[in-house]
Amino acid sequence: MNKQDYLQAYYEICKLYFLTHDKKLEQDIVELEKDIIRIYRVSGRTLARTYTRAYKDISSTVFVYGRGAKDRLKR
């Protein structure tokens, strides 16, 4: 996996976390952040932008689709 693949995986996990607020996913995010920083020397600012982008994408999706957004995104 290259840096972009790791960042994409981080983005997807963040989106899933914002939908479910699962504690296991939160731990996975922390571990993935550590790996990305250690392996690719990515700054925390880059990860913060990715995290924020995932939050904005999910919040706008939930706003548009309402309560059924979780089911629609899983399909």
Side-chain angles (χ1 to χ4, degrees):
M1 286 179 62
N2 62 15
K3 183 169 101 174
Q4 290 298 57
D5 292 339
Y6 268 98
L7 289 174
Q8 184 63 30
Y10 179 74
Y11 172 76
E12 295 298 328
I13 289 175
C14 287
K15 281 184 13 179
L16 190 58
Y17 170 72
F18 290 128
L19 281 174
T20 62
H21 294 288
D22 184 19
K23 292 295 181 184
K24 174 68 172 114
L25 285 176
E26 187 176 13
Q27 293 300 324
D28 291 343
I29 289 172
V30 170
E31 291 298 319
L32 191 56
E33 283 176 352
K34 289 178 184 177
D35 289 344
I36 292 172
I37 290 171
R38 181 177 47 85
I39 295 171
Y40 294 107
R41 307 236 186 260
V42 173
S43 70
R45 188 174 186 177
T46 301
L47 293 176
R49 281 187 295 210
T50 304
Y51 189 84
T52 304
R53 184 170 49 105
Y55 177 76
K56 286 180 181 179
D57 289 349
I58 288 302
S59 64
S60 66
T61 302
V62 171
F63 177 74
V64 170
Y65 291 116
R67 298 177 83 199
K70 289 181 185 179
D71 297 331
R72 288 186 183 104
L73 288 175
K74 288 180 183 175
R75 294 181 193 166

